[in-house]
Amino acid sequence: MPEKLDIDSLVQEGPFERDEVVRMIDSVVRKVSISGIDNEGAGIVSDIQELGQIIEQMRRDIGRSGVGDIKDKHIPTATDELDAVVGSTEDATGAIMDACEAIQGFVSESGGAVSDKIDAEVIKIFEACSFQDITGQRISKVVGTLKEIEAKVAVILDALGGAIPASSEGAGDATATDSEADLLNGPQMPGEGVSQSDVDKLLSDFD
Amino acid sequence: MSVDKDMNVLIVDDYKTMLRIIKNLLGQLGFKNVDEATDGTMALELLKGKNYGLIISDWNMEPMTGLELLKTIRGSNDNCKSVPFIMITAESKTENVIAAREAGVNNYIVKPFNAETLKQKMTSVLGEF
């Protein structure tokens, strides 16, 4: 008789890592194969083998879907981009307010009815600049949500085992169109990319 | 009794852009003695060293929020205990306004706001100016 599998104790021990589940299935199949089985047992073994194949297929599908990239690439990139949005709008707002203060200085020196009107309009610009505070707070909330998603994806990946294949498998199949699309990355992050003088130098090297 | 526009005003916000906007608007209203703090702790330090006629504070700051700052001020035994306090914040839920009122806020401005709103709220707290 094959060694009886203690299902109850296994259930109490769970949950299991993916590799452990595969190992258990293999173990059951091996033991049943060695001990010999009747028709009913053969059906069970077949079901278990199919289950193992489903798990492996699921693992490959998840790998192809690029779920690992969500944690490792997409979310970190998105949060960096959003931080850059906050930084660049803050700089732009600062520049607008610099100009406004300069205008206020000029009109206070000149005086008169027109100056008062200009001053009133400048105040409206100042008021409008508070958009930067609101958008900054909204973006911070989005960044927080993205980080929560990142953490949850990490938990799912851990549960499925660390050996999920990366989506870059088969990257050699990339077409020329894909390569051109890869060139469209939008504005570079601060410190990345090259300066105009670098571009000029690079182009001059082609001459 | 008219409002003394030479009074010291303390503005508290962790966002320097907002500090600059509020300071400019206060300047337009004639209040030139304006000190800035970028969080609640810094505000408390400034309050120890000078008498202020008005505090205008953001809510959403770290590590000490505007609400915590308000509660600390109202719970203290210092001169600043009863300084008028206006909260300027993007937190516009009813429960926020109630919590601030219960903590002793004198008025509450929701961002984004304009100079006219600021003047109205300051008038309601300080009187006509």
Side-chain angles (χ1 to χ4, degrees):
Chain A
M1 281 287 286
E3 185 183 336
K4 190 172 184 300
L5 198 61
D6 186 354
I7 299 293
D8 288 341
S9 65
L10 280 176
V11 169
Q12 283 170 8
E13 283 177 37
F16 299 98
E17 295 289 328
R18 183 195 62 82
D19 290 342
E20 284 180 86
V21 175
V22 172
R23 186 179 53 73
M24 281 182 220
I25 291 171
D26 287 344
S27 172
V28 171
V29 171
R30 194 167 50 251
K31 283 173 183 168
V32 173
S33 300
I34 291 168
S35 307
I37 50 172
D38 55 18
N39 284 343
E40 188 185 356
I44 293 171
V45 170
S46 173
D47 288 346
I48 293 172
Q49 284 176 323
E50 196 177 331
L51 184 61
Q53 287 164 2
I54 289 169
I55 291 171
E56 277 307 305
Q57 183 59 45
M58 188 170 68
R59 178 176 161 273
R60 282 195 294 272
D61 289 345
I62 289 170
R64 272 198 292 273
S65 73
V67 70
D69 288 345
I70 293 174
K71 180 176 81 72
D72 297 331
K73 194 164 70 180
H74 299 316
I75 290 180
T77 301
T79 53
D80 287 349
E81 293 281 357
L82 290 171
D83 286 341
V85 168
V86 174
S88 53
T89 54
E90 190 171 0
D91 290 345
T93 307
I96 291 168
M97 290 195 297
D98 286 344
C100 285
E101 286 175 351
I103 292 168
Q104 284 176 326
F106 300 145
V107 297
S108 69
E109 288 170 11
S110 55
V114 174
S115 295
D116 289 345
K117 287 179 181 173
I118 293 171
D119 211 26
E121 295 305 313
V122 169
I123 289 171
K124 287 180 188 172
I125 297 172
F126 257 97
E127 291 167 356
C129 284
S130 65
F131 85 93
Q132 216 265 313
D133 180 40
I134 306 292
T135 53
Q137 289 189 41
R138 289 197 192 286
I139 288 173
S140 295
K141 283 173 76 173
V142 173
V143 168
T145 304
L146 284 173
K147 286 183 175 167
E148 273 187 40
I149 294 170
E150 184 181 15
K152 286 182 166 58
V153 169
V155 169
I156 292 168
L157 288 176
D158 283 347
L160 289 169
I164 297 287
S167 64
S168 56
E169 279 183 352
D173 298 335
T175 62
T177 308
D178 290 336
S179 302
E180 287 175 16
D182 287 345
L183 292 172
L184 293 171
N185 295 304
Q188 294 297 297
M189 299 297 289
E192 294 179 2
V194 293
S195 66
Q196 183 58 53
S197 59
D198 290 333
V199 172
D200 295 342
K201 185 174 180 302
L202 189 61
L203 291 176
S204 69
D205 289 343
F206 282 88
D207 296 334
Chain B
M1 188 178 150
S2 63
V3 173
D4 177 13
K5 288 190 175 179
D6 289 329
M7 72 164 72
N8 295 313
V9 179
L10 176 61
I11 55 177
V12 193
D13 200 309
D14 58 352
Y15 219 55
K16 288 183 178 165
T17 303
M18 278 311 299
L19 286 175
R20 196 169 165 187
I21 291 170
I22 296 169
K23 187 171 185 175
N24 189 282
L25 296 179
L26 287 171
Q28 293 296 320
L29 295 174
F31 294 86
K32 304 291 185 187
N33 297 321
V34 181
D35 288 338
E36 303 171 23
T38 51
D39 62 54
T41 309
M42 185 177 171
L44 290 174
E45 283 301 312
L46 288 171
L47 284 163
K48 283 179 192 168
K50 198 187 279 188
N51 288 324
Y52 289 93
L54 176 66
I55 300 166
I56 298 174
S57 176
D58 181 30
W59 183 315
N60 192 352
M61 298 180 291
E62 290 181 350
M64 179 184 277
T65 67
L67 185 67
E68 289 167 342
L69 171 65
L70 172 61
K71 287 179 176 176
T72 304
I73 290 169
R74 293 290 183 255
S76 73
N77 292 317
D78 300 332
N79 290 336
C80 67
K81 180 183 175 72
S82 56
V83 174
F85 193 112
I86 296 176
M87 192 81 83
I88 295 185
T89 176
E91 308 292 341
S92 55
K93 289 185 178 173
T94 307
E95 52 261 41
N96 287 87
V97 181
I98 292 169
R101 191 72 193 90
E102 287 176 349
V105 82
N106 296 87
N107 221 310
Y108 195 101
I109 299 174
V110 177
K111 292 178 183 174
F113 64 99
N114 57 31
E116 186 55 35
T117 304
L118 179 62
K119 186 179 182 186
Q120 281 175 7
K121 303 306 175 192
M122 286 177 64
T123 301
S124 77
V125 171
L126 302 172
E128 289 292 336
F129 58 88

